Amino acid sequence: MQVQSEDFIARAADALSDTAASANRRRLGLQLPAQREAAVATFGAFQSLRDHVESVRRHTLQHLDTYLDEFEQQALENGNQVHFARNGEELNQRVLSIIQRHSAKRVAKGKSMVTEETGLNAALEAAGLRVTETDLGEYIVQQAGEQPSHIVAPALHKPEADIRSLFYEKHPLGARDLDTAEDMVAEARRVLREEFLAADIGIIGANALVAESGYSMLVTNEGNGDLCANLPPVLVICTTVDRLLPRLSDAMSMLRLLVRSTTGQPITSYTSFYSGPARDGDIDGPRETHIVLLDNGRSDILASDYRSMLQCIRCGACLNHCPVYVAAGGHAYGSVYPGPMGSVLTPLLTSLEESHTLPNACTSCGRCEEVCPANIPLPQLLRDLRHAENEAQLLPTPVRLGLKAHAWLVQRPQLYRWLSGLFARSLSRLGRTHWLARRVPGMTDYLNTRDLPMPAKETFLAQLQREAENE
Amino acid sequence: MNDARTEIYARIRGTATGASRQDIDSALHGLGSGPSAPLPSIEPCAAFLANVLLQGGSISTARSRKATVQAVAKYLFERHRTHKIAAGHDQRLAALPWRDAGLLPRFGAAGSNDAVSVSFAAAAVVETGSVILLTGKASPAANHLLVEDHIVLVDCEALLSTLDDATEWVGNLRHRPRGIQLISGPSSTADIGMTLVSGAHGPKRWHIILTGEIPAEAEEEARELAGLT
Ligand code: SF4
């Protein structure tokens, strides 16, 4: 998995100044949380649904070997070929060799974060294959030569006008107009329809694997994943070893939780369970199906204190509710997985050295934990990673020394109170002239996009004491 | 490759509790089941139809076989001014009196030239307004994924209350289908400017005809429940 998380701050600053792209994000940051909240209210017993699914996920991870084994047996019985891949490169190799065995040329892909993680498209294209992403957002991002910026809405960063220009540039449109979003969707539908019909291989991901029956669950609104799973003669499902759920009923519970948390819908337009290749007498469906199960660090996470991160069902709610994600956008994170879940997952899947800036991209507001359907304690995991970052001495020396000094000071309450009182009084005096709100030496960049509030006259503790005395 | 399998299993086994299958099963059983969504009405037909509307579908009802084909014909004529329609090799579809409504379905898998198809739902779920289709001759995937309008006939006897009932229903099937598809709306996307557009790849319109002994006011109640009146 490639990461470029080192320059999070520079990328975030760029993103903040790109007003067109940030308009979409602001809309997302308002619209999706509102939709989710309405869905949660209509559902009623949402917290008990969350707790139930969490307990099932925990149980599954606790006995993952048993459930993985059961799934593998069932999947084999259903007629699938099951493969394992330790890392991204192995997955890419596996998939490539399946494709080459069929002398296939054209691949239609459904949305799959796992293959984003492994860089499968690049590997297949390097081998001369034509790979087409068929989720509309992924297709747009692929045509633009960019990376997805959201795990559920990949083209969130692209303003409508950019998509229009992109289609004019890439498609032979002739005199056709693309005035509205409907026109653009129709154009993509026309182009992608041909890809579906001509594809030799379909590749999709899985939202869950059902151990008791070997089914894999696929959840989409577009139906593109289902076209990939049903039209091409060979189907390859790429997913990870931790996606398991014991029973179909567990998948249904997770579905209730996932869709409401993602878009606020009770269910997506298409929810499918696939067991294997076409049966005798079927007039459609793939003749051959493969399931590739990727580890790529999951077994390490399972063995670590960060196991709860594997409960993630990739709903994207933590992104939609994160003030840092909404302001900075997915590309700032320099990783396939952005937002709070990405800030935990990326250092675990790569290394803390490569991505230690990410756990710091957090205001500790706690909204992600409030909405995470899988009950993952994201702020705590981020704090733990920051702690590990400090232990590993990855912070710049001035920050480390500053933190040390701070730790020393807060352990001396008298001195702390006296110094903070002095600081508050001086700030308040400086603030009176109002220049402080905009011109703080060394913070010009920061204050370009925001005003500071007027400083209070005294510290919180002093206020509290005064009020207690007055009572 | 086998190395990868062995290594991954070994790593995962290293974290496992080593509990017996029996203990694992009883622990899982002990977790109970999760809650389902509340239904909009205690009357299942109205509740189902309301949820279909909320999922972006359109609805009609038919109380006899003749009324069913007439409802299909009405939809076809209003939307497409045609009497052509694709249908899977489903015995229940084959047995309908199509000629009474002047229709001549083409039985088999839909091609790119077919604008409308009709399927017979194996079952349907009130909780989510979903129809369940099982892949196979009776309902080729192309018939509900390639057309512009997908009409689904749902027998009111086949309504299941919740997704848990759907799970039980699947468990009671005599065979394990290649694909179990829950369809709950037209193919849609919000990937361009967060505007919801129907017909991303598959059907732009999704029409449900509920058939059988349906309470007289079910359709009206559904529209009310969905806030459409
Ligand atoms: S961490 Fe939680 S909120 Fe974020 S994507 Fe995963 S399940 Fe959803």
Side-chain angles (χ1 to χ4, degrees), chain A residues 151 309 312-318 341 372-374 376 378:
Chain A
I151 58 171
M309 195 57 221
C312 174
I313 57 172
R314 306 285 189 271
C315 70
C318 58
M341 58 82 74
C372 172
I376 301 172
L378 290 158

Side-chain angles (χ1 to χ4, degrees), chain A residues 47-63 67 245-247 250 253 257 311 373-375, chain B residues 27-34:
Chain A
Q47 187 55 45
S48 89
L49 178 64
R50 260 164 98 165
D51 294 344
H52 174 71
V53 175
E54 185 202 359
S55 65
V56 174
R57 287 289 289 152
R58 271 174 185 271
H59 165 92
T60 316
L61 292 171
Q62 238 168 25
H63 309 289
Y67 288 118
L245 284 171
R247 306 159 297 192
D250 301 318
S253 288
L257 199 60
Q311 287 161 216
N375 281 346
Chain B
L28 178 64
H29 187 73
L31 299 178
S33 56

